[in-house]
Amino acid sequence: METEIVPESMSDEELVRKIARQNDATLFAVLYDRYAQRVYNKCYSFSKSADEAEDLTQDVFLMLFIKLSSFKGRSKFSTWLYAFTYNFCVNYVNRNKQRMMSDKSDSISESDRPIHGNNDAAEIANMRAEKLKKALELIEPEDKKILLLKYQDDVSIKELTTILEIGESAVKMRLKRAKSRIVEAYNKIP
């Protein structure tokens, strides 16, 4: 008789294989518990609304359950899941670009205040971070995706080739172009 492995102690790859084979929602819950917060954080970086990020997270996991068998194990599951999440969010942004742009134009954040000489370094750094977030909203979702993967998630060039399914030189060129576009967008923001 085969000894039963506790799902919580299984590697991601073992868990995914078993879920795909058995279509087991209970096992999928273990995977959900492992990655829900990270997926939510990625969704939030694309939506900037907690409710919208929650909805996106649920949609990602629903689609993930359906598509889980397409994971082939050529990369770590976590890398594949981040790519899956980014692609889902990029598609969402592209579908809802008009609506999101009008929502963003209606909101005014504190970082829109002029900088005065009595601000401390932390407040100035926070204002720069807010300006960078605004610049990220102005560039194309594909550029945002590659920049966040590389610089926020510390994904290596080699892993990016797997995620994006392109060659190393193409990854480097896309990164270079995305960096150029984000700098341009950043400099246009008052």
Side-chain angles (χ1 to χ4, degrees), residues 9-150:
S9 65
M10 295 172 77
S11 74
D12 292 340
E13 290 72 18
E14 292 172 311
L15 196 54
V16 167
R17 279 192 299 273
K18 199 165 187 175
I19 294 166
R21 230 183 12 253
Q22 299 174 357
N23 222 14
D24 188 330
T26 305
L27 289 175
F28 188 75
V30 174
L31 203 60
Y32 178 88
D33 290 343
R34 288 182 189 177
Y35 288 100
Q37 188 60 49
R38 289 182 235 177
V39 169
Y40 171 83
N41 290 341
K42 294 300 152 231
C43 292
Y44 187 78
S45 72
F46 277 88
S47 68
K48 297 296 183 235
S49 152
D51 290 338
E52 194 172 26
E54 285 277 337
D55 290 345
L56 275 171
T57 301
Q58 294 303 315
D59 291 347
V60 164
F61 277 101
L62 178 63
M63 187 60 66
L64 181 66
F65 188 73
I66 295 166
K67 301 273 188 178
L68 203 55
S69 61
S70 68
F71 174 66
K72 301 299 180 207
R74 283 176 262 173
S75 62
K76 293 188 308 184
F77 174 74
S78 59
T79 302
W80 183 83
L81 176 59
Y82 289 141
F84 186 91
T85 303
Y86 273 107
N87 289 330
F88 189 92
C89 290
V90 165
N91 290 338
Y92 171 80
V93 168
N94 284 335
R95 283 191 313 264
N96 297 298
K97 198 168 191 173
Q98 277 306 84
R99 184 187 55 80
M100 289 185 70
M101 289 180 79
S102 67
D103 289 350
K104 298 292 182 203
S105 67
D106 292 342
S107 65
I108 299 174
S109 69
E110 270 191 40
S111 63
D112 292 334
R113 296 177 300 160
I115 297 177
H116 300 291
N118 60 352
N119 289 330
D120 63 2
E123 189 173 348
I124 291 171
N126 186 41
M127 289 177 186
R128 288 186 181 138
E130 286 298 317
K131 187 175 174 183
L132 182 57
K133 286 179 187 176
K134 286 181 182 178
L136 279 168
E137 295 300 320
L138 296 175
I139 63 175
E140 289 298 315
E142 286 296 321
D143 290 338
K144 181 178 180 177
K145 171 183 165 181
I146 197 166
L147 289 171
L148 290 176
L149 280 168
K150 176 69 177 145

Side-chain angles (χ1 to χ4, degrees), residues 117-187:
N118 60 352
N119 289 330
D120 63 2
E123 189 173 348
I124 291 171
N126 186 41
M127 289 177 186
R128 288 186 181 138
E130 286 298 317
K131 187 175 174 183
L132 182 57
K133 286 179 187 176
K134 286 181 182 178
L136 279 168
E137 295 300 320
L138 296 175
I139 63 175
E140 289 298 315
E142 286 296 321
D143 290 338
K144 181 178 180 177
K145 171 183 165 181
I146 197 166
L147 289 171
L148 290 176
L149 280 168
K150 176 69 177 145
Y151 298 107
Q152 181 180 10
D153 299 332
D154 294 321
V155 174
S156 70
I157 297 290
K158 185 177 179 183
E159 288 177 307
L160 284 171
T161 63
T162 303
I163 291 169
L164 301 174
E165 298 176 341
I166 58 175
E168 188 173 320
S169 60
V171 167
K172 290 178 180 177
M173 182 54 70
R174 285 189 187 180
L175 269 171
K176 181 179 178 184
R177 289 178 181 155
K179 285 190 278 188
S180 174
R181 290 181 187 120
I182 191 77
V183 167
E184 184 180 322
Y186 183 90
N187 289 331

